[in-house]
Amino acid sequence: QVQMVESGGGLVQAGGSLSLSCAASRLTFNIYSMGWFRQAPGKEREFVAQISRRGTTNYADSVKGRFTISRDNAKKTVYLQMNAVKPEDTANYYCAAGVRESYYYTPQGYSYWGQGTQVTVSS
């Protein structure tokens, strides 16, 4: 059974930084596109960032220039470096794995999900 476990969430002040990690197990990690999504209370889950099998990246406009996604295939881990965070970045952050790279921007493009890690940005 595939497992994906996020870590690194917490409380951070606006303008600060936070680094999220997502470790996968029982997954042929290197063949999967990896994504980060977030969901705030009362809102739909939204795309944040994606890194393809080959290492190309895509970002939501709202985080472009502030967040960086990366991956370590040997460790089966994907990372999200969050800089210059804003209160509107407050959400539960989920990592996801999928093979439908053309649909990287939608949850339907992913097959496996973590349980999420909470990020709270104070103003």
Side-chain angles (χ1 to χ4, degrees), residues 34-39 44-51 57-63 69 103-107 110 113:
M34 301 299 298
W36 285 97
F37 285 73
R38 66 187 181 187
Q39 188 167 17
E44 292 188 354
R45 191 167 296 191
E46 66 172 3
F47 169 73
V48 174
Q50 175 257 358
I51 185 165
T57 58
N58 290 286
Y59 296 94
D61 288 343
S62 59
V63 307
I69 188 171
Y103 296 94
Y104 68 85
Y105 52 90
T106 175
Y110 299 85
W113 292 84

Side-chain angles (χ1 to χ4, degrees), residues 3 9-10 17 20 27 34 37 42-43 65 71 74-75 78 82 93 123:
Q3 280 192 316
S17 297
L20 305 184
L27 184 76
M34 301 299 298
F37 285 73
K43 295 189 176 182
R71 64 190 296 162
K75 295 183 178 179
V78 61
M82 306 168 61
Y93 282 70
S123 56

Side-chain angles (χ1 to χ4, degrees), residues 11-99:
L11 176 64
V12 60
Q13 285 191 329
S17 297
L18 206 61
S19 182
L20 305 184
S21 300
C22 171
S25 59
R26 303 185 187 93
L27 184 76
T28 309
F29 188 83
N30 61 304
I31 72 170
Y32 282 87
S33 167
M34 301 299 298
W36 285 97
F37 285 73
R38 66 187 181 187
Q39 188 167 17
K43 295 189 176 182
E44 292 188 354
R45 191 167 296 191
E46 66 172 3
F47 169 73
V48 174
Q50 175 257 358
I51 185 165
S52 73
R53 296 170 294 168
R54 297 171 184 79
T56 56
T57 58
N58 290 286
Y59 296 94
D61 288 343
S62 59
V63 307
K64 202 171 293 183
R66 300 188 296 122
F67 291 9
T68 302
I69 188 171
S70 59
R71 64 190 296 162
D72 186 331
N73 288 341
K75 295 183 178 179
K76 295 188 176 183
T77 300
V78 61
Y79 305 95
L80 185 69
Q81 178 64 40
M82 306 168 61
N83 296 330
V85 295
K86 304 175 181 180
E88 51 263 45
D89 294 323
T90 295
N92 206 6
Y93 282 70
Y94 299 87
C95 66
V99 296

